[in-house]
Amino acid sequence: MRLIWKYLDKMRCFRKRSTIPLLGVLITCLLFVNLYIEDGYVLEEDKRQLRDTSIHQLNSERYVHTFKDLSNFSGNINVTYRYLAGSPLPRKKYLTIGLSSVKRKRGNYLLETIKSIFDQSSYEELKEIVVVVHLADFDLAWCESLVQDISRKFAHHIIAGRLLVIHAPEEYYPSLDGLKRNYNDPEDRVRFRSKQNVDYAFLLNFCTNLSDYYMMLEDDVRCSKNFLTAMKKVVTSREGSYWVTLEFSKLGYIGKLYHANDLPRLAHFLLMFYQEMPCDWLLIHFRGLLAQKDVIRFKPSLFQHMGYYSSYKGAENKLKDDDFEEDSFDIPDNPPASLYTNINVFENYDASKAYSSGDEYFWGKSPSTGDFYVIVFEKLTKINKIKIVTGTDDRQNDILHHGALEVGEKLVGTKKGKQCSAYITLGEFKNGNIEVLDVEHKISFDIECVRIVVTANQKEWLIIRSISLWTTQPPSQ
């Protein structure tokens, strides 16, 4: 362990010359030590040195009280929040939606954003969400004025426990003066983005125990209709697979979904490196450090940036997500399943990528007659609609030129895994695609397998871009 402290001391001498390498080493060391501590192998003296080293790196004496015990990344940060409107309910919800907002020089979109969240949710969906707004500006008069507007417009949501407005006092913030000028950013830009990291960290810290999942939004966002139902379909389809962040928009901090039990670590992470880089960059590092290598993003996007002026200096910001759809209710709900293929897979474009709702696909080398791609469900499933798309815009010839879609029953075990022993054909692929409606009316059994069968040799490779299934009811228990 003492080798780590020596190495950190050495690295501090070069912090001005090599900011990014230092950050990488520090992150790695801290996470390693955290895991080491959780196993109970670190002495109290080592814990003390870890705290001292990390606090020195943060360069903020005012911030020491929020890092009483760096050995416990899973603990809450000691902040006393002001409740400006509403209070938490004792029962956990399914989803917390977090917004952080500050005074803008031009425009204010917070009320529109809150309205969109509630208006685009059904009564049943509203029972499963809580919206937490962190008014993070140090101008308390502005905060009080805005709270009055929020309370007038959304009184019934506040009373129902669906809307909370909080404020973290300025005394809990680290120093925002004399910050490192990474990337040669202007001093006011560094101050803005550093404070924004702390704003989000305090918001995450507050939301830790409110729900099962947490959705990060910005305060100038429009939502698609029934976004919660669409999001729940995606989460259900990912059951059994590991993920840290699911993305429902490609812009900024918009539409990023986390497990609530990851929020304490994320809050600590943003606080430790608050002056190093913008929040969206830190979120990428956090995801990678928790071993999610690739972005998992879903289309269509469920959230759209609607602000015209940025919260930084009121600069123009016309960014739009061109994958956004106002009505995204008809998102497939692919049930949990195992996937098998005997087609020769190219690199890491494996079978799971076609079944995922993310922006990825299966890619196999020239298939032959009789080759297959099969989906084996974990439970009997009633399916209403199946849609399969092959090929991509830039590889339009890598489609399934001749193939059939089948559904099966009577699951049996084989050397290569479970398979159905009886299939019926629903249809043939045309121009590489197939869509079958009213599936449950075309068959007399609950489905256990869906299979794509190659019916003729082809020299072209095969891309299965997406497999989309719509169920008529949850899988039987």
Side-chain angles (χ1 to χ4, degrees), residues 180-324:
K180 290 185 287 185
R181 294 273 301 278
N182 293 345
Y183 318 111
N184 204 31
D185 281 348
E187 186 174 338
D188 60 344
R189 174 66 181 171
V190 173
R191 177 185 173 90
F192 172 83
R193 63 172 169 79
S194 298
K195 179 184 177 296
Q196 189 176 57
N197 285 334
V198 183
D199 296 342
Y200 278 116
F202 287 161
L203 174 60
L204 293 165
N205 182 64
F206 179 87
C207 295
T208 296
N209 295 311
L210 300 182
S211 60
D212 298 322
Y213 298 97
Y214 174 87
M215 175 73 74
M216 179 178 285
L217 291 184
E218 295 184 15
D219 64 348
D220 52 357
V221 167
R222 189 168 86 249
C223 306
S224 68
K225 188 171 182 59
N226 301 111
F227 65 89
L228 178 64
T229 297
M231 188 206 77
K232 288 182 72 174
K233 285 184 178 182
V234 169
V235 171
T236 299
S237 74
R238 303 291 301 190
E239 283 182 3
S241 65
Y242 178 77
W243 60 270
V244 177
T245 311
L246 301 182
E247 303 189 8
F248 294 89
S249 171
K250 64 182 180 183
L251 300 179
Y253 328 124
I254 298 173
K256 306 300 182 278
L257 184 72
Y258 298 90
H259 296 278
N261 55 18
D262 280 336
L263 296 186
R265 288 179 184 270
L266 181 53
H268 279 293
F269 185 80
L270 293 179
L271 282 169
M272 283 194 296
F273 305 108
Y274 76 102
Q275 62 175 307
E276 302 295 340
M277 60 184 68
C279 183
D280 48 345
W281 295 10
L282 287 173
L283 295 179
I284 294 170
H285 282 292
F286 179 79
R287 184 197 75 215
L289 287 164
L290 292 187
Q292 181 189 315
K293 180 181 177 182
D294 300 320
V295 173
I296 306 175
R297 187 168 74 84
F298 300 91
K299 295 181 182 179
S301 296
L302 301 181
F303 306 97
Q304 178 65 284
H305 179 257
M306 69 176 175
Y308 186 74
Y309 299 108
S310 167
S311 53
Y312 172 62
K313 283 189 168 182
E316 289 188 4
N317 181 2
K318 300 179 181 179
L319 283 176
K320 296 294 179 185
D321 188 336
D322 51 14
D323 293 324
F324 172 75

